[in-house]
Amino acid sequence: MDNSLLVSLSQQIAAYRSMDVIANNIANASTPGFKRESAKFEEYVSQVRPAEGQTGPQAISFVKDAGTTRDISQGNITSTGAPLDMALSGKGFFTVATPQGERYTRDGHFSLDQDGRIVTSDGYAVQGEGGAITITPTDGDIHVAADGTISSVVNGTLNQLGKLRLTDFADVRGMTKEGGNLYSASQPGIPATATLVQGSLESSNVQPVLEISKMIEVMRAYEATATLSKSQSDLNRDAVAKLGAMPN
């Protein structure tokens, strides 16, 4: 295949990858605690033999997928009034127990399962310092302090039910995205400095207008590259046709 077509193909693949990441951001614009991502690319330079009229090796630049980068900036905190909705202001994650092991999330949209455990939207138990936290119907109104301590008042007596285990990491961008708004970490966790806000949720930090603008830019770049590829292909086809029409 012609080198120009290969270069165009690498650019089209990069545009497709960018579009996929942008579409995922837009789809999660209303997901609590979601952190937007952007595709990252690198230049890959290959040395090829010189064409006619050229001297010495020739450098050709391709686009190489280098993964994604994550924007970890704080999302807006919105009041919901639900006692088990919890938002984190600052650095840190809720710790969640899953069948694959402990995972971490900024999504504080919690509820109680049939056993009275505080769980995520997917039914995973939110972890306290002593494991899962259970709330019974006799515990009364629940209060969650800024440090994650969960307590209730029954007949004028304050009862501490548990304390949420909030975890942070030295390299947050090094965490692995697992799906379901969960992350895993291969590095050791450290105590979080985040402040918990009860009855609120942290909004996604995705700005839909900016994502749509970026999507339009990527579409235009893809179309331009596709047009260039078609023009090059047409030239090659015409050249082959003319060569074939020449007398032996």
Side-chain angles (χ1 to χ4, degrees):
M1 183 181 291
D2 187 270
N3 286 326
S4 61
L5 294 179
L6 290 174
V7 171
S8 297
L9 178 61
S10 72
Q11 293 175 338
Q12 287 175 296
I13 293 174
Y16 181 86
R17 170 64 174 153
S18 294
M19 190 67 72
D20 188 46
V21 173
I22 293 171
N24 185 62
N25 288 338
I26 294 175
N28 286 282
S30 59
T31 301
F34 180 82
K35 302 303 179 184
R36 70 173 297 275
E37 296 180 329
S38 57
K40 183 173 66 174
F41 301 99
E42 297 176 351
E43 181 184 22
Y44 177 78
V45 180
S46 176
Q47 300 292 330
V48 298
R49 292 180 298 177
E52 184 178 353
Q54 295 178 330
T55 57
Q58 301 297 306
I60 297 180
S61 296
F62 297 90
V63 182
K64 179 182 177 182
D65 188 352
T68 59
T69 58
R70 187 177 303 121
D71 179 3
I72 60 174
S73 62
Q74 175 82 44
N76 295 326
I77 294 180
T78 305
S79 176
T80 65
L84 291 179
D85 279 348
M86 306 177 198
L88 292 178
S89 176
K91 298 180 179 180
F93 296 84
F94 297 104
T95 306
V96 177
T98 75
Q100 292 74 38
E102 287 191 346
R103 297 294 184 264
Y104 309 93
T105 184
R106 295 277 298 193
D107 185 352
H109 183 47
F110 302 141
S111 60
L112 297 181
D113 67 5
Q114 60 184 4
D115 298 321
R117 300 181 307 167
I118 300 177
V119 296
T120 67
S121 301
D122 293 323
Y124 300 133
V126 181
Q127 298 298 285
E129 293 185 344
I133 298 176
T134 302
I135 298 175
T136 66
T138 60
D139 286 326
D141 293 335
I142 302 302
H143 173 71
V144 185
D147 66 351
T149 300
I150 301 176
S151 58
S152 67
V153 177
V154 180
N155 298 325
T157 303
L158 179 66
N159 300 300
Q160 182 171 328
L161 305 177
K163 184 177 181 180
L164 292 170
R165 179 150 59 93
L166 306 180
T167 310
D168 196 11
F169 299 91
D171 181 16
V172 175
R173 289 185 173 85
M175 300 175 71
T176 303
K177 188 175 181 180
E178 296 285 345
N181 217 7
L182 298 175
Y183 299 91
S184 62
S186 58
Q187 54 188 303
I190 57 177
T193 59
T195 299
L196 194 146
V197 183
Q198 184 183 15
S200 302
L201 289 175
E202 179 190 6
S203 302
S204 164
N205 63 2
V206 173
Q207 299 183 50
V209 174
L210 295 181
E211 297 296 325
I212 292 173
S213 299
K214 181 65 176 178
M215 179 179 288
I216 293 173
E217 293 178 6
V218 173
M219 289 178 62
R220 288 175 177 171
Y222 181 90
E223 291 171 354
T225 304
T227 299
L228 179 63
S229 297
K230 185 178 183 304
S231 298
Q232 184 64 34
S233 181
D234 290 344
L235 287 174
N236 291 342
R237 185 178 62 252
D238 292 343
V240 170
K242 290 179 180 179
L243 183 62
M246 294 180 63
N248 293 331

